[in-house]
Amino acid sequence: MDGAGHGSGGEDKGRAGALCVAQVACDAPDPISAIHAQLGPGPFALVCLFASPRADFIALTRQAQGRFGAAEVLACTTAGEIGLNGYEDGQIIATGFPADLFAVDSYAIDGLDQLEAQATIDEVIHRRRALAARAPQMPYDFAFLMVDGLSLQEENLTSVLASGMGSTPLFGGSTGDGTSFCSTWVAHNGVIRRNAALLALVRSHCPVKVFSLDHLVPTEVRMVVTAADPDRRLVQQINAEPAAAEYARLLGKDPGQLDAFTFAAHPVVVRLGDSHHVRSIQRVDEEGHLVFFSAINEGMVLTLARHQDMARHLEEGLRALSHPVMPQQILGCDCLFRRIEAGQYQQTRRVSDILSRFNVVGFNTYGEQYGALHVNQTLTGVAFYPPEGRG
């Protein structure tokens, strides 16, 4: 995709730590057998598969059925992979959660466009309490979400789920299709779904920390959304002018120059007091409207943001997680536009080296979930620390 690593894990069994990690090329003749060999015998409570959109996703999920014992198996397509060499392309990344360290309850949430809020909240509360009763000896917990990245339902879903989470921190990623934006998939225990999400409730002997990083700083350039269709994530007018033309004018560019590289280089944020949340632009449609990765409402004030040095900010952010001790591993959801930006500014190798050094694995996304929020252009994840009393 952008000069990232392309090696598979081969006989490398991943890294020592809380998770077992495997990696194979998406066109390997028998990827599940290779992943099974790399992960080791288990037993596992959960196995997650992050698959390049070039993989045969149907065959992959079918082959995974029953291959990991009693483990629950979650799978999704990606907008890029994060593996042993940092940013990867054309790979399948697998993470195994050993059963002696983790207890898991995962399930699918179907029909996201017709989500019944109270029923969803009740289900989360029931499952969260049941898992706590089943694994009272595991004091740490978090929730991991994979959601169809073309469903346009992430804001509502995360808001509803947060109401049932109590003190359990939630993070996740919107599944991808490279840079095609055509077809994304999730699968739960071999059943492939669209317009759906997969939620894994996890308890652990390992201390964990859910986090979110972005390297953007708001400027003083602001714009008001004067016409929008939030359900379709369309912004039709900015400052009472056609949206794409006005955005281009504020950048000093021709509207015909707007592309994914422009959107990655010139993001917009919504400011809330001293904090901000990124709202990334996906594309310009045929009518000159801006299509976002998140819902935008009329009257919303958007602020152009500038970039800090991504690699330096990433290293500082991950190092800040290392107090009092360094995490053994990090499971991360990293926005596609961060990857695009890294390539645009010749930082892919530096960013990949940092991700590899801090043992980050996961996938590139069409958006990230953090608590009750659906955000963009962040690295969001969970850091795993050494199990207490075990080294």
Side-chain angles (χ1 to χ4, degrees), residues 136-305:
Q137 76 282 11
M138 297 182 181
Y140 306 104
D141 69 338
F142 67 92
F144 176 43
L145 183 70
M146 296 181 191
V147 54
D148 183 342
L150 297 178
S151 67
L152 309 183
Q153 300 299 319
E154 293 100 323
E155 290 89 357
N156 182 49
L157 176 63
T158 53
S159 176
V160 168
L161 290 176
S163 297
M165 283 294 163
S167 61
T168 301
L170 168 74
F171 86 99
S174 301
T175 62
D177 179 28
T179 55
S180 299
F181 308 109
C182 292
S183 177
T184 65
W185 303 86
V186 296
H188 180 250
N189 292 334
V191 179
I192 296 174
R193 290 171 156 88
R194 282 178 168 169
N195 188 34
L198 309 179
L199 181 66
L201 301 170
V202 183
R203 296 195 70 88
S204 177
H205 285 295
C206 303
V208 297
K209 184 180 294 183
V210 171
F211 68 93
S212 184
L213 302 174
D214 80 74
H215 62 298
L216 304 177
V217 178
T219 69
E220 296 304 314
V221 180
R222 301 184 181 183
M223 61 195 86
V224 179
V225 177
T226 47
D229 182 346
D231 290 341
R232 294 191 293 158
R233 296 179 175 173
L234 286 180
V235 172
Q236 296 138 334
Q237 290 186 1
I238 292 174
N239 299 336
E241 299 290 339
E246 179 66 1
Y247 172 76
R249 183 189 70 80
L250 292 170
L251 301 182
K253 294 182 176 291
D254 186 283
Q257 296 177 303
L258 300 180
D259 57 17
F261 296 102
T262 308
F263 303 140
H266 302 281
V268 297
V269 301
V270 177
R271 302 184 72 167
L272 298 173
D274 294 332
S275 64
H276 65 267
H277 304 292
V278 187
R279 295 290 183 263
S280 294
I281 303 168
Q282 181 190 124
R283 59 185 173 87
V284 180
D285 72 7
E286 312 78 44
E287 300 178 28
H289 303 152
L290 294 176
V291 182
F292 280 72
F293 280 107
S294 302
I296 303 292
N297 297 313
E298 286 187 17
M300 188 174 283
V301 177
L302 303 178
T303 302
L304 278 178

Side-chain angles (χ1 to χ4, degrees), residues 48-93:
C48 294
L49 303 173
F50 310 120
S52 164
R54 303 206 304 267
D56 185 338
F57 192 73
I58 295 175
L60 179 73
T61 53
R62 286 177 178 169
Q63 291 166 7
Q65 272 293 89
R67 291 298 301 274
F68 302 100
E72 301 187 50
V73 180
L74 310 186
C76 73
T77 56
T78 76
E81 301 79 60
I82 305 172
L84 302 177
N85 300 305
Y87 284 150
E88 305 275 7
D89 191 25
Q91 302 291 300
I92 301 166
I93 310 298

Side-chain angles (χ1 to χ4, degrees), residues 2-26:
D2 54 12
H6 300 277
S8 66
E11 292 304 312
D12 184 352
K13 300 292 177 63
R15 310 179 177 101
L19 305 181
C20 297
V21 179
Q23 176 175 333
V24 299
C26 67

Side-chain angles (χ1 to χ4, degrees), residues 292-357:
F292 280 72
F293 280 107
S294 302
I296 303 292
N297 297 313
E298 286 187 17
M300 188 174 283
V301 177
L302 303 178
T303 302
L304 278 178
R306 63 176 177 83
H307 298 266
Q308 301 178 68
D309 182 281
M310 181 195 281
R312 183 171 64 246
H313 184 274
L314 175 64
E315 177 145 19
E316 291 172 353
L318 295 181
R319 195 170 296 283
L321 296 172
S322 300
H323 300 289
V325 298
M326 184 173 177
Q328 291 182 320
Q329 286 159 318
I330 294 172
L331 176 61
C333 299
D334 187 58
C335 186
L336 168 64
F337 274 10
R338 286 172 58 89
R339 181 169 180 147
I340 290 175
E341 181 192 338
Q344 192 174 12
Y345 291 95
Q346 290 78 53
Q347 287 198 319
T348 298
R349 189 68 269 153
R350 281 184 66 199
V351 170
S352 289
D353 287 345
I354 295 166
L355 292 171
S356 179
R357 184 154 34 93

